[in-house]
Amino acid sequence: MEKLATTSKSNTIIAENQTTKGEGPKYCINIEGKEFTWSKGTITTEEIIELGGWDASQGVIEIDNDNNERTLHPGEIIHIKPGHGYSKKIRWKRG
């Protein structure tokens, strides 16, 4: 597993880069304290809701490393970048 350190920006996510031979990178994302493997460099609000297993009417809140919360808009695309310690820096919860 390759780990690369990067910094996070608003709407940019840091993830753990796990490369399997013959496949692209896989990212580790944190939704309500549960870690999920994700294979794309982006994730939408709706995909977070689907993985989290809650109703879309509850929405999604993004929480950054400083515990700042931001409500994601429907259809919003979040760019995920490889990096070390991702799930402790950016995570999501229903909201």
Side-chain angles (χ1 to χ4, degrees):
M1 176 170 28
E2 177 185 355
K3 295 182 182 179
L4 305 171
T6 60
T7 58
S8 68
K9 296 179 182 176
S10 177
N11 229 16
T12 300
I13 308 309
I14 298 176
E16 196 170 275
N17 182 6
Q18 302 174 349
T19 306
T20 305
K21 189 174 182 176
E23 296 180 13
K26 294 188 189 274
Y27 304 92
C28 182
I29 59 175
N30 182 323
I31 301 172
E32 294 194 324
K34 296 179 185 173
E35 291 192 358
F36 297 87
T37 300
W38 193 250
S39 61
K40 299 187 293 183
T42 60
I43 190 166
T44 65
T45 303
E46 290 75 16
E47 289 168 328
I48 294 169
I49 290 169
E50 185 177 330
L51 285 173
W54 64 81
D55 188 79
S57 66
Q58 294 178 297
V60 178
I61 296 175
E62 179 181 89
I63 307 163
D64 70 13
N65 195 36
D66 296 322
N67 284 322
N68 296 313
E69 295 186 358
R70 183 179 74 83
T71 301
L72 300 181
H73 300 288
E76 188 168 344
I77 298 171
I78 297 94
H79 297 276
I80 303 172
K81 292 188 176 180
H84 179 69
Y86 155 72
S87 61
K88 293 181 181 178
K89 295 186 180 190
I90 302 290
R91 58 196 186 275
W92 297 287
K93 68 178 185 179
R94 70 186 85 207

